[in-house]
């Protein structure tokens, strides 16, 4: 399907994509670049990429497909670095968790070539990062959100859809703003809350003793708190407006429940818990339903 | 080790205890009682109990060990129902998630027989309830907190320690107040937060669409939100003082992080995320370490 993948960012997301594309026979050659030369070298040694590029620009040279797998805050600088070799025929995708800011960067930098850029958000990940955790199954069975804009080339969108589906993904298209609002609620806020909860505990004198007693509920609830700090700093700042809005809604709900606990209003409290319990018990991950 | 277990409450916790005790050969006969006759009947049909008792009092008759596996708010009424058959030789345990209130109920009702009561909190559970989910492995490898008081008979405490250890548990002794503070932080607060987060999302017009997009991070973070509403209402009200204190600490931490996001202070935000991420990455469940 593709001759050459230019991979910019050979970490967990990028490395897993390269492995999945190769295994599916969708690409012949992967040319990779990472900001850290040791990462690029490790990616080649592991067989994740075939050729090490000395710069982002050279990773793009000769590619018919390019994946930007860098922190969202690095998108603009990365696009600037490669823009002189971007062509109309080249499919460029990203894997960022926010879409409005990435698209704005694309418009500013790519200008007339913005049609080549198909913004993507794969709903997958691990709480560990780095090419050593790259996994050809990371994307299989997962949901991929595409947020094309009016100027995105429909032929490129179609190529992206076909590609992700051949990797076993469930592809969904959305407007960028709707995407950012939804993920503020179901991903960025849970991360912020998990970070705050851990920090609130460790800041207490008895925090270490408390943590030593925690059980399986705590383990699952806080799993996402072990995520990469630079990546999540960038996501939270990039989507700050939607995230702060969601955090406010959450705090208001929490304070309402606290008031019921304080006043001993067991009936109202039970109703709210039951509502949450029912909603969660009936929830299913979309991509798992469709597989 | 024991002749007859009087099991009051044949749900997930009680049913699993009966199965584990039988499998380990620690008890010859289980006489069970549940508030709902259909639960008691199902427990007998499943072989979780051997004999159905028509009342809590009759479940205790002839028992040398009694387990109260009822919601914490039902502890006092249950103790009142059985107190006329409680003896000095009988080991009485509970499995409640709060300990101060359970001990207070024990003091009020059991009076001179308070020495028989060894308050227990097994750090285990499932987000489903009911005898149909009873599992002989529910306690294996888990931590059990005992919170004996001055008046608890040391011989009974020792019997309880031996019993739980033979079920494969890691036994820890703590003061009741220290227990309640710790579990407010690492269990009750995460549940409250998970309930509030789900309710905050479902209350929004686009809440259903948001939930449909959620991925594996959300799945794990909110798993505990599917828990039983009556049980959690009771726990939160029973431990309200400590829980509200912990919730306040958490909200202050969250608001401090929000302020960094709002002002775009990436460095401070990254530091706090990194701190949480490191704390979580190095955390291990105690009982898993020791096995």
């Amino acid at each position: 399907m593709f001759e050459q993948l230019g991979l910019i960012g050979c970490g967990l997301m990028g490395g897993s994509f390269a492995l999945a594309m190769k295994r599916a026979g969708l690409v012949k050659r992967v040319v990779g670049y990472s900001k850290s030369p040791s990462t690029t070298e490790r990616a080649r040694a592991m067989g994740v990429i075939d050729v090490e590029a000395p710069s982002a620009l050279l990773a793009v040279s000769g590619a018919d497909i390019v994946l930007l797998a860098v922190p969202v805050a690095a998108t603009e600088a990365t696009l600037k670095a490669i823009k002189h070799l971007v062509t109309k025929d080249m499919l460029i995708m990203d894997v960022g968790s926010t879409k409005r800011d990435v698209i704005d960067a694309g418009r500013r930098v790519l200008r007339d070539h913005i049609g080549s850029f198909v913004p993507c958000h794969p709903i997958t990940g691990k709480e560990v990062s780095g090419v050593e955790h790259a996994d050809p199954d990371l994307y299989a069975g997962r949901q991929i959100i595409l947020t094309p804009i009016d100027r995105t080339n429909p032929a490129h969108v179609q190529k992206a859809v076909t590609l992700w589906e051949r990797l076993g993904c469930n592809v969904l298209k959305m407007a960028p703003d709707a995407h950012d609002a939804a993920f503020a609620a179901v991903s960025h806020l849970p991360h912020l809350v998990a970070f705050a909860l851990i920090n609130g505990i460790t800041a207490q004198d008895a925090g270490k003793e408390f943590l030593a007693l925690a059980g399986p509920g705590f383990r699952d609830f806080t799993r996402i708190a072990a995520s990469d700090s630079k990546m999540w700093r960038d996501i939270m700042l990039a989507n700050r407006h939607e995230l702060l809005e969601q955090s406010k809604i959450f705090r208001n709900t929490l304070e309402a429940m606290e008031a019921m606990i304080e006043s001993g209003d067991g009936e109202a409290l039970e109703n709210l818990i039951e509502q949450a319990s029912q909603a969660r018990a009936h929830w299913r991950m979309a991509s798992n339903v469709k597989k």
Side-chain angles (χ1 to χ4, degrees), chain A:
Chain A
M1 189 173 176
F2 294 98
E3 287 293 318
Q4 184 172 314
L5 165 64
L7 178 66
I8 303 178
C10 303
L12 175 72
M13 299 296 283
S16 298
F17 181 78
L19 290 175
M21 287 289 282
K22 285 186 181 198
R23 190 177 62 180
L26 294 176
V27 70
K28 290 187 185 153
R29 199 166 48 254
V30 179
V31 179
Y33 167 76
S34 266
K35 203 173 151 192
S36 145
S38 65
T39 300
T40 322
E41 197 183 319
R42 201 174 319 141
R44 195 190 40 77
M46 290 172 63
V48 168
I49 63 172
D50 303 303
V51 180
E52 295 174 49
S55 68
L57 184 66
L58 287 172
V60 169
S61 174
D64 49 353
I65 175 171
V66 169
L67 188 79
L68 308 183
V70 298
V72 282
T75 306
E76 184 152 1
T78 306
L79 289 173
K80 278 182 184 162
I82 67 170
K83 70 175 175 184
H84 294 299
L85 289 182
V86 168
T87 65
K88 283 198 165 25
D89 293 334
M90 187 182 276
L91 169 61
I92 304 177
M93 304 190 301
D94 78 317
V95 293
S97 297
T98 55
K99 295 272 72 80
R100 184 76 262 162
D101 64 312
V102 164
I103 289 169
D104 287 345
R107 282 185 208 268
R108 280 193 297 270
V109 178
L110 297 179
R111 297 169 178 265
D112 289 349
H113 286 319
I114 185 72
S116 292
F117 180 48
V118 179
C120 302
H121 178 201
I123 314 306
T124 186
K126 294 185 182 177
E127 70 277 18
V128 290
S129 52
V131 68
E132 57 272 27
H133 300 288
D135 173 0
D137 289 317
L138 189 69
Y139 297 95
R142 298 304 186 183
Q143 197 151 249
I144 309 287
I145 320 278
L146 307 189
T147 60
I149 56 174
D150 285 351
R151 295 179 61 195
T152 315
N153 181 343
H156 280 321
V157 175
Q158 190 47 54
K159 264 194 278 184
V161 169
T162 306
L163 174 169
W164 287 113
E165 285 181 348
R166 289 190 56 185
L167 295 183
C169 303
N170 175 37
V171 181
L172 203 69
K173 286 180 212 166
M174 285 179 79
D177 287 342
H179 168 280
D180 286 359
F183 285 90
V186 301
S187 171
H188 311 165
L189 177 62
H191 278 79
L192 177 62
V193 162
F195 296 136
L197 188 124
I198 295 264
N199 284 340
I201 293 173
T202 55
Q204 296 175 56
D205 289 341
K208 278 197 177 169
E209 286 87 332
F210 289 177
L211 287 178
L213 294 164
F218 180 86
R219 176 196 59 203
D220 294 353
F221 180 82
T222 60
R223 184 180 62 78
I224 54 176
S227 301
D228 184 73
S229 56
K230 282 192 175 54
M231 178 182 143
W232 279 97
R233 173 200 65 192
D234 289 351
I235 291 171
M236 287 174 182
L237 293 178
N239 202 23
R240 74 178 82 177
H241 177 74
E242 298 289 354
L243 174 57
L244 291 173
E245 180 64 29
Q246 289 297 328
S247 194
K248 194 175 150 193
I249 292 170
F250 161 70
R251 274 195 289 106
N252 290 342
T253 315
L254 178 62
E255 283 173 36
M257 294 183 80
E258 283 179 19
M260 291 167 192
I261 293 168
E262 187 142 30
S263 69
D265 187 349
E267 196 181 329
L269 181 64
E270 184 188 337
N271 284 341
L272 278 192
I273 297 176
E274 181 64 19
Q275 188 181 306
S277 176
Q278 289 295 326
R280 179 55 181 80
H282 292 111
W283 174 83
R284 291 291 175 272
M285 266 210 298
S287 43
N288 281 8
V289 170
K290 301 196 177 166
K291 264 189 78 83

